[in-house]
Amino acid sequence: MTTSDRTTALVLRWVAVYTRSLDPEIAARRQAELASDLWEQCAHARRVGAADSMVALSILRRAVAGVPADLRWRQHQLAVARGRPRWQPRWQLSSTRTRALARTWWLVLAALFIPLYGFGAVGIMNFDTSTDSWWPKLWYTGALGMIVSAVLIAAGILARRWARATGDVLIAIGALPLTVSIAALEDSVLRVVAAATLLVTIVAFLDAADARSLAGRANSARRWLLAAATAAAATVAGLGMARAHAAPVVVLSVMSGITLLAVLAIVGYRHRRRPT
Amino acid sequence: MRRKPGTLLLLEVDILDAGLALRRDGTSSVHGFQLAKAIADRADTRAALTAHGTLYKALSRMEAAGLLTSTWEDPNLAAADGRPRRRLYQVTGAGERALAAWQAQHPKASAPPRPAAGPGPA
């Protein structure tokens, strides 16, 4: 049994839970539609040769993101069955702009990190033109790591329009350095920012998995681009933090975190289920 | 904010748009995953596949509103292919008119769908 088979079974169990005690015909329809949807997604993934782990992540993300709608739908069906007036939500996101923002909130958040990293890099360098030279101070303070992160996020947002998964992974790699150094941060505001970067990293990675589960054969140039971006981010972040006298555990966590994410992403590009 | 009567949610616009685009390509009725994939493939959204709960709740709501109709496919066909039976949706005339009205109100938001990069779901 593959990972996507197990995920499919898990989702179908969830469907059985939230359709319990509903009208049998309505429950059966929802269960059958979900069974068909999950089968079609797995079949499509097999046709395009997508990695099984990416398909499983995509299915899991779709299920988890749909839980509030599942519960509202159940509530509505129960209300109708009891003869109560049709249940109406208290509010709906009817504005097109609001709905668009709801769909892309994490990209907006990621875009905010670009100036934040830029200002942060300038701030931590505390550059004095009379005594300081640029290059050593970029290394010494770790500002270069922040600049590389900002560039990776910007490149990811731009690349996403043409290569969604690649753009997502670039964003995730760019957001990761601050995420993995959260334990070393003392400022509460910075901790909030680090938590936001963690959120962006997770969502970007899940979005990349979703894109990989849909896409056809991976472009090897993109794989090399991701590997190069990962190497750049891990090296700059790790060395920069080491030069800034960060604790070894922080340096190691930054480098290993970035590498782990990249390995997962690149594995998603390389290991594919054999089309059947 | 309550939804105004007669207005479409963005997901509903995407569903109608994808359903009509697939119809223009020769697919008269479409199943749920096919719609989710068509929406994700659009150049202007670059969105992830729509969540299960969100998609099927929207489809049942749109069917109740008369924007879509749906039927189960022939079980023999599904059995012959060795897969679960599909629920097939079609955009109605009311759905077409609702989308046209929305597009007239939001001319900038109406972008042509991006062709799928790979082979689409059968």
Side-chain angles (χ1 to χ4, degrees), chain A residues 157-216:
Chain A
I157 291 172
L158 287 174
R160 212 178 159 274
R161 189 160 181 82
W162 298 280
R164 185 173 140 216
T166 306
D168 288 341
V169 176
L170 287 175
I171 293 168
I173 293 171
L176 200 62
L178 191 55
T179 303
V180 293
S181 42
I182 188 167
L185 298 174
E186 291 175 1
D187 189 299
S188 56
V189 175
L190 278 179
R191 280 179 178 252
V192 171
V193 175
T197 59
L198 174 63
L199 194 60
V200 167
T201 302
I202 292 169
V203 177
F205 190 61
L206 289 176
D207 198 75
D210 193 89
R212 293 311 321 155
S213 78
L214 288 177

Side-chain angles (χ1 to χ4, degrees), chain A residues 33 37 40 61 103 160, chain B residues 14 46 49 56 86 89:
Chain A
E33 279 206 280
D37 184 301
E40 297 291 349
R61 184 204 60 76
R103 187 178 276 168
R160 212 178 159 274
Chain B
D14 288 339
R46 306 300 290 153
L49 286 167
Y56 290 99
R86 293 167 174 166
Y89 291 88

Side-chain angles (χ1 to χ4, degrees), chain A residues 29 32-34 36-37 39-41 44 47 61-63 66 69-70 89 91-92 103 160-161 164 207 210, chain B residues 1-2 14 37 43 45-53 56-57 63 83-87 89 119 121-122:
Chain A
R29 173 174 167 176
E33 279 206 280
L34 261 293
S36 168
D37 184 301
W39 190 94
E40 297 291 349
Q41 182 168 0
H44 173 75
R47 272 196 297 276
R61 184 204 60 76
R62 290 183 74 200
D70 289 332
W91 53 273
Q92 286 265 13
R103 187 178 276 168
R160 212 178 159 274
R161 189 160 181 82
R164 185 173 140 216
D207 198 75
D210 193 89
Chain B
M1 171 169 58
R2 278 193 184 275
D14 288 339
K37 185 181 178 300
T45 56
R46 306 300 290 153
L49 286 167
T50 310
H52 301 132
Y56 290 99
K57 184 165 168 275
E63 194 175 358
R83 57 171 170 73
R85 200 163 48 135
R86 293 167 174 166
R87 184 83 185 178
Y89 291 88

Side-chain angles (χ1 to χ4, degrees), chain A residues 119-172:
Chain A
F119 288 128
V122 172
I124 61 171
M125 279 178 70
N126 193 21
F127 196 76
D128 180 355
T129 51
S130 61
T131 56
D132 296 333
S133 53
W134 279 100
W135 185 243
K137 196 140 195 185
L138 273 172
W139 276 109
Y140 180 77
T141 58
L144 188 59
M146 299 184 84
I147 292 168
V148 168
S149 292
V151 170
L152 286 174
I153 293 172
I157 291 172
L158 287 174
R160 212 178 159 274
R161 189 160 181 82
W162 298 280
R164 185 173 140 216
T166 306
D168 288 341
V169 176
L170 287 175
I171 293 168

Side-chain angles (χ1 to χ4, degrees), chain A:
Chain A
M1 190 183 239
T2 63
T3 312
S4 61
D5 291 337
R6 279 191 287 272
T7 313
T8 297
L10 184 71
V11 174
L12 289 176
R13 272 202 289 276
W14 162 242
V15 179
V17 167
Y18 77 75
T19 54
R20 190 181 298 165
S21 70
L22 295 182
D23 178 299
E25 195 178 329
I26 290 170
R29 173 174 167 176
R30 175 58 70 100
Q31 289 164 10
E33 279 206 280
L34 261 293
S36 168
D37 184 301
L38 295 165
W39 190 94
E40 297 291 349
Q41 182 168 0
C42 291
H44 173 75
R46 279 194 297 274
R47 272 196 297 276
V48 299
D52 187 63
S53 55
M54 297 293 112
V55 183
L57 271 175
S58 173
I59 289 173
L60 194 62
R61 184 204 60 76
R62 290 183 74 200
V64 171
V67 165
D70 289 332
L71 296 177
R72 284 199 301 272
W73 175 82
R74 175 183 168 78
Q75 195 179 350
H76 172 71
Q77 297 301 333
L78 286 173
V80 170
R82 288 169 189 158
R84 292 179 187 168
R86 277 174 74 92
W87 177 79
Q88 290 287 336
R90 288 183 186 278
W91 53 273
Q92 286 265 13
L93 297 178
S94 60
S95 153
T96 300
R97 281 183 192 154
T98 316
R99 290 287 301 187
L101 189 63
R103 187 178 276 168
T104 57
W105 63 269
W106 66 277
L107 286 172
V108 175
L109 195 57
L112 290 176
F113 296 148
I114 298 169
L116 199 67
Y117 276 143
F119 288 128
V122 172
I124 61 171
M125 279 178 70
N126 193 21
F127 196 76
D128 180 355
T129 51
S130 61
T131 56
D132 296 333
S133 53
W134 279 100
W135 185 243
K137 196 140 195 185
L138 273 172
W139 276 109
Y140 180 77
T141 58
L144 188 59
M146 299 184 84
I147 292 168
V148 168
S149 292
V151 170
L152 286 174
I153 293 172
I157 291 172
L158 287 174
R160 212 178 159 274
R161 189 160 181 82
W162 298 280
R164 185 173 140 216
T166 306
D168 288 341
V169 176
L170 287 175
I171 293 168
I173 293 171
L176 200 62
L178 191 55
T179 303
V180 293
S181 42
I182 188 167
L185 298 174
E186 291 175 1
D187 189 299
S188 56
V189 175
L190 278 179
R191 280 179 178 252
V192 171
V193 175
T197 59
L198 174 63
L199 194 60
V200 167
T201 302
I202 292 169
V203 177
F205 190 61
L206 289 176
D207 198 75
D210 193 89
R212 293 311 321 155
S213 78
L214 288 177
R217 187 169 291 278
N219 181 334
S220 76
R222 288 181 191 163
R223 209 162 60 220
W224 284 109
L225 170 68
L226 288 179
T230 304
T235 306
V236 171
L239 290 179
M241 293 182 80
R243 294 291 297 269
H245 306 296
V249 66
V250 175
V251 177
L252 280 176
S253 66
V254 168
M255 297 189 74
S256 57
I258 291 172
T259 307
L260 177 67
L261 182 81
V263 166
L264 286 172
I266 293 166
V267 161
Y269 269 76
R270 294 192 68 181
H271 292 279
R272 300 176 174 285
R273 290 203 296 198
R274 186 170 296 169
T276 55

